[in-house]
Amino acid sequence: MVLSAILVAILATISQWWFFAPITRCMTYPLTTGILVGIFMGHPMLGMLAGANIQLVYLGWINAGGVMPSNTMVAGIYGTALTILSSANPKLAVTFAIPFSLLGLLMVQIYQTINSFWVHKADKALADGNVRQIRFLNYVPSFVVALVVYGLPAFGLVLFGKEWATTLINAIPKSLTTALEVVGGLMPALGIAMLLSYLGKKSLNAFFFIGFFLAVYLKLDTTAVAIFSAAIAFLIFVSQTSKKKDESNSSNKKVKRLTLNNRRGEVEEVHTQNDANTSEEVVSTNEYSIQLSKKDLVKTWLWEQSDEAAYNYERLQALGLTNMMVHPIKKLYSPERQAEELKKYMVFFNTEPHMVGPIIHGVALSMEEARANGQNVSAEDINGVRTGLMGPAAGIGDTVQQGIIFPILASIGATMALDRNFMGPIFFTVIFEVIIYAIGYLMFMYGYKKGKSSVITILKNGIIDKVTNAFSIVGLMVVGTMAATRITVDTPLVWSIGKSTMKLQEILNTLAPGLIPLAITLIVWRLVAKKVNPTWIILGIFVIGIAFSYLNLFGIVK
């Protein structure tokens, strides 16, 4: 049990200490951490089922702009551990996880507040010309804080919590246990409703109902609906882009220009719209005497994966991005200038860090390289471009990654896991990370190659909206399937008329299967759309679930 406690403590620590994103990114998701906790504690199946049940509640919880609505890391790890310690039904994992997730918000506040101190230490180090200190300050103090705030409580829970957890679960009356299972069956409606509020548009909402009724009438599973919806989305996307291309062909013309991004001063031939946006400063450039190699770029991209290791409330990603720039700054500038050049990155900065955000760092590298070679690029110019791009990149990145790609893959993975298939968490984790880091790498390199003007054009040319709509169609249909299959309550209400008995659920089924899950989803969706605090919705689900279970109005689907 000591080894199990140590392993779970390490997992809890790195779930918050994001020292290298390809390793830590999915440690924020219960679907991934649930099976790991299960393996560490000797119950992989129970851990996977508990994690999958918890994940359904948090499908729509999006952490954007440094705001965390709920601590899914603590919910997944601590909730799964308590489920295993008490040998409880995995459907009860949700009721264990939610209190931990709310407690976890306090843990986040402590962690990110303390990390603000290391930013000031970094300022002093650069003022003293100590570049090497940046690496230490980005990793070591934040690790210690994460270990104390996250790791040690997890260690204590696993090592000393079994007797307490078993006593707790045995003290709960069977009727209350059944009622809590009903609560667990209702709770996915919140995650689904939050996703619908995020993805939903009047022109696209019908796809949610298509996905729902494909599941209830044709019994299609989540994977089948995902494939079907992807084909529909692709056809719509192609149709829209072809129409737009036809409309714009007549107004395009060829222009020739010299840009800063064309290092050898070669003439660049490009297509552009015949409007005011075609003007661009013409800069003649010679072969740079100092250049970043492909190896330097790859190293910088890898260092960028630690940009949130010391994430803090004061400047968010600043210390991590300064750590990222240590290698290229050393390559581009003399030792006397390195600390001074790094200071420009110790300012407030926050964007989506893994998929779209890296394009900003590529642009910054391109400008930094020009500055090192004597071009008229100031520190203010570099930070002006970084600041100007971080909002659009965050809006696109968070929307596509957290609001579309994640829920689609997590829905499929959770469905597989709840069908007792160990490939569910593996599928989700591997595919999700391959997609976001492959795109992130390409965006980083593209930003470096093309520079600021081309990047701004991409962000404004409208193609992003069409891609987002296409992904939203897939997301809405998959979420519809989840609403039909993962809100697992029906009504056991039966009444007698003479010698006959009437079952309410059978009557509802004759109207349309799945009416209760659909009604619950629509009600919660309405509450979310009205900006009702999710915490109040959670409390309402607890109260209604328990009350309706005791009144025999709601039961768990058998």
Side-chain angles (χ1 to χ4, degrees):
M1 188 58 76
V2 173
L3 178 59
S4 296
I6 292 172
L7 292 174
V8 173
I10 293 172
L11 180 63
T13 300
I14 66 174
S15 74
Q16 178 61 75
W17 181 54
W18 300 326
F19 70 97
F20 187 65
I23 294 175
T24 61
R25 180 66 183 92
C26 284
M27 300 307 171
T28 62
Y29 296 128
L31 182 57
T32 301
T33 55
I35 190 171
L36 291 175
V37 171
I39 291 171
F40 295 159
M41 297 181 66
H43 298 277
M45 179 60 74
L46 181 55
M48 180 180 70
L49 294 173
N53 275 290
I54 296 169
Q55 185 65 80
L56 294 180
V57 180
Y58 297 105
L59 281 176
W61 295 73
I62 296 171
N63 302 328
V67 178
M68 182 175 287
S70 187
N71 195 322
T72 58
M73 297 92 79
V74 172
I77 295 171
Y78 285 58
T80 299
L82 189 57
T83 303
I84 294 172
L85 287 170
S86 60
S87 300
N89 187 317
K91 290 183 179 180
L92 292 178
V94 172
T95 62
F96 296 149
I98 287 174
F100 279 125
S101 75
L102 299 177
L103 176 63
L105 291 178
L106 175 62
M107 298 162 77
V108 169
Q109 292 169 1
I110 294 171
Y111 178 77
Q112 294 185 185
T113 298
I114 295 176
N115 277 348
S116 299
F117 289 101
W118 321 135
V119 175
H120 297 284
K121 292 287 186 182
D123 286 336
K124 186 177 186 305
L126 291 178
D128 295 338
N130 189 350
V131 173
R132 296 180 62 183
Q133 189 74 1
I134 296 300
R135 296 254 192 260
F136 175 86
L137 289 170
N138 189 57
Y139 294 107
V140 178
S142 56
F143 166 75
V144 174
V145 178
L147 177 64
V148 172
V149 175
Y150 283 79
L152 293 184
F155 178 85
L157 175 65
V158 175
L159 190 61
F160 305 113
K162 182 172 179 58
E163 183 176 348
W164 169 77
T166 304
T167 301
L168 173 66
I169 202 71
N170 289 338
I172 300 176
K174 183 173 177 54
S175 59
L176 181 56
T177 300
T178 301
L180 291 175
E181 289 178 0
V182 170
V183 171
L186 289 170
M187 201 60 73
L190 177 57
I192 291 167
M194 294 182 75
L195 274 177
L196 289 172
S197 181
Y198 196 79
L199 295 172
K201 298 178 182 178
K202 288 184 178 179
S203 60
L204 299 178
N205 285 342
F207 288 101
F208 163 75
F209 294 96
I210 292 172
F212 183 91
F213 287 110
L214 283 174
V216 297
Y217 280 112
L218 300 183
K219 308 300 181 185
L220 295 183
D221 61 20
T222 307
T223 304
V225 171
I227 295 171
F228 183 58
S229 61
I232 294 175
F234 177 75
L235 292 173
I236 293 174
F237 174 78
V238 170
S239 174
Q240 290 178 336
T241 52
S242 297
K243 181 179 179 181
K244 182 68 175 179
K245 185 176 180 180
D246 292 339
E247 292 174 351
S248 62
N249 276 342
S250 59
S251 61
N252 284 353
K253 69 175 184 179
K254 292 184 179 180
V255 298
K256 293 183 177 181
R257 67 188 181 195
L258 288 174
T259 71
L260 181 65
N261 308 310
N262 188 350
R263 295 183 185 165
R264 293 175 175 79
E266 297 167 349
V267 175
E268 233 180 25
E269 187 176 81
V270 296
H271 289 276
T272 185
Q273 293 293 329
N274 184 19
D275 58 23
N277 293 328
T278 60
S279 62
E280 182 177 327
E281 179 183 0
V282 178
V283 180
S284 178
T285 64
N286 298 316
E287 184 76 32
Y288 286 169
S289 60
I290 307 171
Q291 294 187 25
L292 296 172
S293 66
K294 181 65 176 290
K295 185 177 180 180
D296 293 324
L297 295 174
V298 172
K299 281 185 177 180
T300 305
W301 177 74
L302 290 172
W303 282 114
E304 191 264 335
Q305 305 310 316
S306 301
D307 65 348
E308 293 185 321
Y311 200 68
N312 61 88
Y313 280 130
E314 183 174 323
R315 298 186 219 172
L316 298 179
Q317 298 168 355
L319 180 53
L321 293 177
T322 306
N323 174 72
M324 173 194 75
M325 291 301 296
V326 168
H327 176 76
I329 291 293
K330 284 185 173 181
K331 183 71 180 289
L332 294 170
Y333 298 99
S334 64
E336 295 76 19
R337 288 186 62 182
Q338 289 169 8
E340 188 64 31
E341 294 297 337
L342 281 172
K343 287 180 182 179
K344 73 173 80 73
Y345 294 96
M346 285 299 299
V347 297
F348 176 92
F349 190 89
N350 194 48
T351 194
E352 184 277 313
H354 305 126
M355 195 174 78
V356 176
I359 200 170
I360 302 174
H361 313 315
V363 172
L365 281 179
S366 178
M367 298 180 72
E368 201 72 72
E369 192 177 55
R371 175 176 167 81
N373 282 277
Q375 296 289 347
N376 186 23
V377 178
S378 68
E380 290 74 19
D381 291 335
I382 295 173
N383 270 341
V385 170
R386 293 173 71 237
T387 303
L389 289 176
M390 73 179 185
I396 297 167
D398 286 331
T399 297
V400 176
Q401 183 192 144
Q402 295 191 65
I404 298 174
I405 296 176
F406 160 69
I408 292 171
L409 294 177
S411 298
I412 296 171
T415 299
M416 295 170 68
L418 292 171
D419 290 336
R420 310 179 77 85
N421 185 343
F422 282 113
M423 284 302 298
I426 297 171
F427 165 84
F428 160 71
T429 303
V430 172
I431 301 300
F432 181 67
E433 295 213 353
V434 166
I435 290 174
I436 63 174
Y437 292 112
I439 294 175
Y441 175 81
L442 294 174
M443 295 293 275
F444 181 90
M445 295 301 178
Y446 187 88
Y448 171 76
K449 179 181 178 182
K450 295 296 184 181
K452 62 177 182 179
S453 299
S454 297
V455 171
I456 292 171
T457 299
I458 286 175
L459 295 177
K460 292 183 177 181
N461 67 4
I463 193 69
I464 298 297
D465 290 336
K466 296 180 180 64
V467 171
T468 301
N469 280 344
F471 275 108
S472 295
I473 289 169
V474 179
L476 286 166
M477 290 183 67
V478 169
V479 170
T481 306
M482 297 299 293
T485 58
R486 296 306 166 191
I487 301 176
T488 54
V489 295
D490 59 12
T491 177
L493 188 64
V494 177
W495 64 89
S496 299
I497 301 177
K499 295 183 178 180
S500 302
T501 58
M502 303 283 288
K503 296 182 178 180
L504 179 58
Q505 187 61 54
E506 291 182 355
I507 295 173
L508 294 176
N509 288 341
T510 60
L511 299 174
L515 280 181
I516 290 179
L518 180 60
I520 292 168
T521 301
L522 295 178
I523 291 170
V524 179
W525 184 8
R526 180 66 174 172
L527 293 174
V528 171
K530 289 289 187 180
K531 308 298 183 184
V532 176
N533 191 309
T535 302
W536 289 111
I537 297 176
I538 288 172
L539 292 175
I541 290 174
F542 265 95
V543 172
I544 291 173
I546 292 172
F548 277 37
S549 175
Y550 276 103
L551 293 171
N552 204 37
L553 294 175
F554 279 171
I556 291 293
V557 176
K558 303 299 184 182

